[in-house]
Amino acid sequence: MKKLLSKSTFVRGLQCEKSLYLYKNHFNLKDTPSLSLKTIFEQGTSIGLLAQHLFPGGVDASTKSYININDSVKKTFDFINQGETTIYEATFIYNNVLAALDILVKKEDGWHAYEVKSSTRISSTYLNDAAIQYYTIINSGINLKDISIIYINKNYLMNENIDVSQLFNIESVYDKVLKLNDRIPNDVTRLKKVLMSSKAPNVDIGTHCSKPYECDFKGVCWNHIPDYSIFDISRLSTKKKFDLYKKGIVKIDQVDINKTPLNSDQLIQVQSDLNNKTYIETKKIKKFIKDLKYPLFYLDFETISSAIPMYKNTKPYQQLVFQYSLHVQKSINSKIVHSDYLANQNEDPRSQFIERLINDCGNYGDIIVYNISFERGKLKNLIKNFPNYSLQLTSIINRLKDLMLPFKNKWYYSPKMKGSYSIKYVLPALVPDLSYDNLDIKDGGTASNIFLSMVNGTFNGNVKETRKQLLEYCYMDTFAMVKILEKLIQI
């Protein structure tokens, strides 16, 4: 199987030949997949199964194990010879290239191929994917009349139940695939030579490491790059970062500020790191603090997002609130009170979320968030779906203040922040005795994926204990804001 090219390894090889070689010959060196990536794969599987309802009554040619892939090929041709007209996971091998097609349908004019994607648009990568499918299938003796990509209709609004005919778009890519078809044999030959090589190709790191996909061998290829490097210079373009890298500049202390074009924020970061000094704009911080109106409400949301809408009047990939944490401080020296909300995973939480939030936020005082665009965007979405709460939610929006501003604008910058203004970097820089490290859930992405798995019914852990961990994580986000503002006040 090591010398067999599949559509995924073909696309991997187009992105980077070294990645293809390592995947086939040193799979054990692959980076550990994140929970987010696992969620994406699970979602892709669910989308594929749901799309089969567009062409019901088909037969499945798949096998449980990749090792038995030849059995899938045999099943596919057996089904064809038996007169089946809809085949799921129809599998073909030609010239050591494997194509497992999501759906193959025989219509009056002949066979039509359908590949299912969980994206909301057709990318050039998907066209390459379809091209290698087409190459393999037609050379296996199937006269394809058309090949299409099935993808998510981002404008679909779910009513009571999922309508698959509305959830999916079906778009023929036949003409585009034909234009790519002439180069496919050469690409196949080139990539097969890579697989047969005795050593990995000499490919240096570059923009291809992240486009079109984040490579899962960066742990191997980027091990010569320090944890903090020129690639962490804030908002410096990827091109400029690699221009520095090609000149042999990797560490921050190698950057010549007289020869490297940097904007004012980037200059603050580099100079601060070179001199190991904290940069503080006291007047701007003082004005920011003076403009805050007590009582202060420190607020943080958590959301879930799914390609398949979960609740009535929601769209694919719409971010839906399921949790918040709120610390309340009546005056600068008063005791801080905490409240929170975590949805029941078995029901649409939004109405209850809104009512609890309105009650907990009161009628006056500034509401402190970290990255105002996130909470403001979610509140505006809630107003669209629940216009009867428009007045109260608009009032909350108008009270929002962004604690990220002093750090994003470099009014405060410490070398310990390593070029980032994320709260995960700001907190240990300002309050070193407070950390996310001891939490079971350490980031919002993990929190979102865990709760989504609860909603989907795929969660295997202890629900009661995990809900406690979700509350602890969200608590830390708002308590961190409390301590960060305390530090700014001291400054």
Side-chain angles (χ1 to χ4, degrees):
M1 289 295 179
K2 283 188 176 182
K3 307 308 177 188
L4 192 67
L5 273 175
S6 66
K7 63 180 180 181
S8 60
T9 52
F10 176 80
V11 169
R12 179 185 287 268
L14 293 182
Q15 179 173 339
C16 177
E17 293 181 1
K18 184 178 181 181
S19 177
L20 171 63
Y21 181 89
L22 292 173
Y23 184 84
K24 285 290 190 175
N25 294 281
H26 299 284
F27 188 82
N28 60 305
L29 298 177
K30 193 161 75 80
D31 300 337
T32 302
S34 65
L35 180 59
S36 296
L37 191 60
K38 290 178 180 178
T39 302
I40 290 171
F41 289 149
E42 289 174 359
Q43 181 169 256
T45 300
S46 299
I47 290 291
L49 292 173
L50 190 60
Q52 290 178 0
H53 292 282
L54 293 167
F55 304 95
V59 290
D60 191 348
S62 65
T63 56
K64 292 183 179 180
S65 173
Y66 185 74
I67 297 173
N68 301 323
I69 200 69
N70 285 314
D71 291 344
S72 291
V73 177
K74 183 179 183 302
K75 285 176 70 175
T76 298
F77 280 96
D78 285 346
F79 286 145
I80 291 172
N81 293 331
Q82 291 165 13
E84 297 288 352
T85 57
T86 301
I87 304 173
Y88 310 136
E89 299 298 324
T91 308
F92 306 89
I93 294 178
Y94 169 77
N95 191 21
N96 266 0
V97 178
L98 166 70
L101 182 72
D102 288 320
I103 305 170
L104 183 66
V105 178
K106 190 172 187 180
K107 300 183 179 181
E108 290 184 3
D109 63 338
W111 290 101
H112 291 240
Y114 298 91
E115 188 65 14
V116 182
K117 301 297 181 184
S118 56
S119 175
T120 58
R121 65 182 184 89
I122 296 176
S123 67
S124 58
T125 304
Y126 293 162
L127 295 177
N128 287 324
D129 184 295
I132 192 65
Q133 296 263 50
Y134 180 82
Y135 162 85
T136 308
I137 294 170
I138 61 168
N139 282 296
S140 295
I142 305 299
N143 184 20
L144 279 185
K145 294 297 182 180
D146 195 13
I147 182 166
S148 300
I149 292 177
I150 299 173
Y151 61 101
I152 300 294
N153 172 16
K154 64 180 180 181
N155 297 315
Y156 169 65
L157 188 68
M158 188 180 86
N159 196 353
E160 295 293 341
N161 299 297
I162 293 291
D163 181 347
V164 292
S165 66
Q166 297 297 316
L167 173 63
F168 293 107
N169 290 322
I170 303 177
E171 185 175 327
S172 172
V173 292
Y174 184 77
D175 293 339
K176 293 175 181 177
V177 164
L178 289 183
K179 291 178 182 178
L180 296 172
N181 200 47
D182 288 344
R183 70 168 177 79
I184 294 296
N186 290 333
D187 286 335
V188 169
T189 300
R190 173 172 59 85
L191 296 180
K192 285 168 73 174
K193 285 181 179 178
V194 170
L195 297 182
M196 296 174 68
S197 176
S198 59
K199 61 180 181 179
N202 184 20
V203 181
D204 200 0
I205 63 172
T207 56
H208 59 272
C209 295
S210 301
K211 292 182 180 180
Y213 302 115
E214 193 74 22
C215 182
D216 43 17
F217 285 97
K218 292 184 78 171
V220 174
C221 300
W222 285 67
N223 62 4
H224 62 298
I225 304 297
D227 289 338
Y228 181 53
S229 71
I230 52 106
F231 292 100
D232 297 297
I233 297 177
S234 179
R235 289 181 277 188
L236 185 66
S237 72
T238 303
K239 181 183 181 302
K240 289 181 179 178
K241 290 175 181 178
F242 278 106
D243 286 344
L244 289 173
Y245 173 75
K246 289 172 185 176
K247 294 175 183 176
I249 299 170
V250 175
K251 298 179 180 179
I252 298 290
D253 60 15
Q254 294 175 304
V255 176
D256 186 338
I257 59 176
N258 297 312
K259 295 181 179 179
T260 305
L262 300 171
N263 65 31
S264 57
D265 285 355
Q266 293 158 358
L267 197 58
I268 288 171
Q269 178 187 345
V270 173
Q271 287 181 321
S272 179
D273 291 339
L274 290 175
N275 300 323
N276 195 29
K277 289 184 178 180
T278 297
Y279 179 88
I280 305 173
E281 291 246 22
T282 310
K283 289 183 179 179
K284 291 180 179 178
I285 293 174
K286 187 174 182 179
K287 184 179 185 306
F288 175 82
I289 293 169
K290 188 178 179 181
D291 289 342
L292 297 178
K293 298 177 181 65
Y294 285 84
L296 296 182
F297 300 78
Y298 301 83
L299 177 65
D300 179 70
F301 292 169
E302 300 301 333
T303 62
I304 52 175
S305 175
S306 171
I308 304 172
M310 292 171 282
Y311 311 120
K312 185 179 179 180
N313 293 327
T314 62
K315 293 183 177 182
Y317 292 113
Q318 181 177 339
Q319 287 187 319
L320 302 168
V321 291
F322 71 90
Q323 179 180 11
Y324 70 76
S325 173
L326 188 74
H327 277 85
V328 183
Q329 188 177 23
K330 289 187 177 181
S331 65
I332 193 167
N333 295 315
S334 66
K335 182 181 177 182
I336 295 171
V337 179
H338 179 255
S339 60
D340 55 26
Y341 171 81
L342 177 58
N344 180 333
Q345 61 267 23
N346 298 316
E347 60 187 34
D348 184 346
R350 291 173 296 164
S351 292
Q352 190 178 57
F353 180 100
I354 293 170
E355 290 173 359
R356 287 277 299 275
L357 181 68
I358 291 170
N359 181 68
D360 286 349
C361 283
N363 298 316
Y364 62 94
D366 283 345
I367 299 173
I368 309 295
V369 295
Y370 205 92
N371 187 11
I372 194 170
S373 62
F374 179 75
E375 272 78 13
R376 183 165 53 199
K378 303 298 105 36
L379 289 167
K380 286 183 177 180
N381 284 339
L382 288 172
I383 290 172
K384 287 181 181 178
N385 288 133
F386 300 89
N388 51 315
Y389 294 105
S390 176
L391 190 64
Q392 299 98 315
L393 293 178
T394 299
S395 174
I396 289 175
I397 290 173
N398 292 335
R399 293 162 57 197
L400 296 178
K401 293 287 180 69
D402 194 354
L403 186 58
M404 188 173 74
L405 280 179
F407 309 101
K408 182 179 180 180
N409 293 335
K410 295 290 192 296
W411 300 342
Y412 185 103
Y413 180 77
S414 162
K416 294 178 182 178
M417 289 160 59
K418 296 185 176 181
S420 175
Y421 47 82
S422 162
I423 198 169
K424 303 299 188 296
Y425 283 85
V426 171
L427 179 63
L430 273 74
V431 193
D433 59 336
L434 195 61
S435 172
Y436 288 79
D437 291 345
N438 295 326
L439 297 177
D440 293 286
I441 297 173
K442 297 176 173 61
D443 62 87
T446 301
S448 175
N449 289 321
I450 286 175
F451 191 77
L452 182 60
S453 68
M454 289 181 177
V455 174
N456 292 336
T458 59
F459 181 71
N460 295 320
N462 184 316
V463 172
K464 184 177 179 180
E465 180 62 27
T466 305
R467 286 179 64 86
K468 179 183 174 185
Q469 294 167 3
L470 286 167
L471 291 169
E472 289 172 348
Y473 165 72
C474 203
Y475 174 97
M476 177 61 80
D477 270 347
T478 50
F479 187 63
M481 286 191 276
V482 172
K483 306 308 287 185
I484 288 169
L485 185 61
E486 279 182 9
K487 184 66 175 180
L488 290 181
I489 291 171
Q490 291 172 17
I491 291 167

